[in-house]
Amino acid sequence: MTAPTPGRPSLMRAINDRAALEVLLARGPLTRPQLSSLTGISKPTASQLLARLVEAGLVVQDGIREGLPGRTAELYRINPAAAYVAGLDVTPARIRAVVADLTGAVAGEHTLPTPARSGVDAVARVRAALDAAVGAARPAIPRDRLRRVVVGIGGAVDPTTGRLGYAAHIPGWHVPDLGKRLTDALGPPVSIENDVNLSALAELSAGQAGDARDFVLLWVAEGVGMAVVLGGALHRGATGGAGEIGYMPVAGAPLRRDVRRTHTGGVHSLTGGAAVLKLMRAHGFRGRDAATAVGRAAATGSPEAGAALTELATRLGATLATVVAVLDPQLIVLTGDVLRSGGEPLRTLVERELHTMTIPRPPVRLSSVQGNPVLAGALHLALGDAREETFSSTTP
């Protein structure tokens, strides 16, 4: 079959179909005249287009709109069941899987605890979590209806080997061609992405970074990580390890040479979860973990709390100053359990400390993404690919 050429009817139909689907996704449900007005196509063309998309299963009628002059207008919307995607968030303790329809609405979810032993079969665990998530939907969704699956994990896949690095703390995932193995086992294409990178994508789509082309996102929880977005796109680096700043040497910390071990390195030793908890305890703020202790300090507002948070902010500011000197980002976003627990008091101090150490003074903001940012980013990435495929398939 020859490819469509400019001006051919099949090409124009594809362009019009794609425009209509995008408008229905963003603005629907819509009547035929509304769709015609928003896309700039004629009403007869809109009628033909809608009939074609309904027949293809991409658009469904959504009742009627009454009370308007003239005859009653039928409403149309994207068929949410035209495609499904899944996002997974993998940690040492559990796998959380969420399935969403083509509009992004969550249809089913499941959390699968990870057994406290080594030798975990990553492929089998992902399949189990995914099967439970599609089974939790009402009605249940056959797994073969999934178009894309994105797995978020605290590591980075080397594109030259397909192996997961920076993730010694997650056993069972260190096999060659991991993405291909998962794709072969599950059916739909599977992508594996760093969890902090996914959080940055969530920030781009529904958070603080919507207007930023160049920004960095700092994540502090048990470990420390960073996502780098340049020109509106993730920068992953040659081996996928861009942003693994936890292993970066830093003044005030011992120089570590065995940095292959998890949560080692200068930045980890000063701002990782264990170091932050030790710092908070030294100032009299305790908790079962660093986030709890930081949250208590931030809520207190006492001189002791101010001293504790300022010392932490100085460590974070020094780390970010190195990043600002190299990348000169437009914006810095703070996220992760520790930084979220510190809230506005910690954010203010981090920004103040950073601006005393740098010539560029990018604003520092707290993440505004609600819920699990890793899953939000995974679904955003999966939906982008699934919509591209689905919306491009209306004409042969």
Side-chain angles (χ1 to χ4, degrees):
M1 176 188 292
T2 58
T5 56
R8 291 183 59 174
S10 58
L11 177 61
M12 295 307 300
R13 283 198 300 270
I15 292 172
N16 289 337
D17 288 355
R18 179 62 179 263
L21 289 166
E22 294 284 0
V23 169
L24 284 168
L25 182 65
R27 305 281 294 272
L30 298 171
T31 64
R32 178 180 58 86
Q34 288 174 323
L35 184 64
S36 172
S37 175
L38 289 169
T39 60
I41 61 179
S42 68
K43 292 180 181 179
T45 299
S47 295
Q48 296 169 5
L49 176 153
L50 285 169
R52 185 167 59 250
L53 295 180
V54 168
E55 184 178 1
L58 299 180
V59 169
V60 293
Q61 291 188 8
D62 191 42
I64 58 175
R65 179 163 294 172
E66 299 177 340
L68 298 176
R71 62 182 182 179
T72 301
E74 295 175 333
L75 287 165
Y76 296 87
R77 61 179 172 87
I78 291 286
N79 179 9
Y84 293 91
V85 300
L88 289 86
D89 179 18
V90 177
T91 72
R94 52 99 178 115
I95 298 176
R96 186 177 176 197
V98 173
V99 176
D101 63 32
L102 191 59
T103 69
V106 172
E109 54 188 307
H110 182 75
T111 299
L112 182 71
T114 297
R117 56 180 174 80
S118 60
V120 171
D121 184 336
V123 173
R125 300 296 291 172
V126 168
R127 184 192 295 114
L130 201 54
D131 284 346
V134 296
R138 293 294 177 268
I141 303 164
R143 182 148 46 87
D144 61 10
R145 298 289 303 280
L146 294 175
R147 290 287 185 92
R148 289 290 188 278
V149 177
V150 174
V151 179
I153 193 167
V157 173
D158 187 330
T160 62
T161 65
R163 282 186 176 273
L164 185 69
Y166 304 94
H169 58 304
I170 307 180
W173 286 78
H174 310 96
V175 296
D177 297 321
L178 179 58
K180 183 178 184 303
R181 291 186 182 214
L182 287 169
T183 297
D184 291 344
L186 300 176
V190 178
S191 301
I192 303 171
E193 184 60 82
N194 176 261
D195 53 358
V196 183
N197 282 350
L198 291 177
S199 296
L201 291 181
E203 213 65 49
L204 269 174
S205 65
Q208 296 281 13
D211 298 327
R213 298 286 294 168
D214 301 322
F215 77 95
V216 296
L217 178 141
L218 179 65
W219 174 293
V220 180
E222 182 179 354
V224 183
M226 175 171 284
V228 179
V229 174
L230 300 177
L234 282 172
H235 177 71
R236 296 178 176 86
T239 66
E244 293 288 351
I245 62 166
Y247 301 94
M248 184 173 67
V250 64
L255 182 62
R256 298 179 183 269
R257 300 186 185 275
D258 182 19
V259 295
R260 292 185 179 276
R261 292 184 295 116
T262 302
H263 297 163
T264 57
V267 171
H268 275 304
S269 68
L270 288 180
T271 62
V276 173
L277 182 57
K278 182 179 179 180
L279 170 63
M280 292 296 112
R281 285 175 173 173
H283 286 272
F285 297 96
R286 298 186 174 274
R288 64 183 183 279
D289 52 34
T292 303
V294 169
R296 287 173 176 169
T300 300
S302 65
E304 294 80 10
L309 294 177
T310 297
E311 186 171 346
L312 175 57
T314 300
R315 297 181 184 185
L316 294 168
T319 298
L320 289 169
T322 302
V323 175
V324 170
V326 175
L327 297 179
D328 188 15
Q330 178 184 350
L331 170 70
I332 294 170
V333 179
L334 305 181
T335 191
D337 292 345
V338 169
L339 299 181
R340 283 177 175 268
S341 293
E344 186 61 22
L346 181 58
R347 184 212 64 81
T348 301
L349 291 170
V350 170
E351 185 175 64
R352 185 190 73 185
E353 293 297 309
L354 171 65
H355 290 178
T356 66
M357 305 177 202
T358 59
I359 294 176
R361 295 183 174 183
V364 177
R365 298 176 185 165
L366 279 172
S367 170
S368 60
V369 175
Q370 300 299 310
N372 184 318
V374 178
L375 286 175
L379 290 178
H380 172 75
L381 190 59
L383 283 166
D385 290 342
R387 288 168 180 167
E388 178 65 31
E389 177 184 333
T390 303
F391 292 176
S392 301
S393 65
T394 61
T395 57

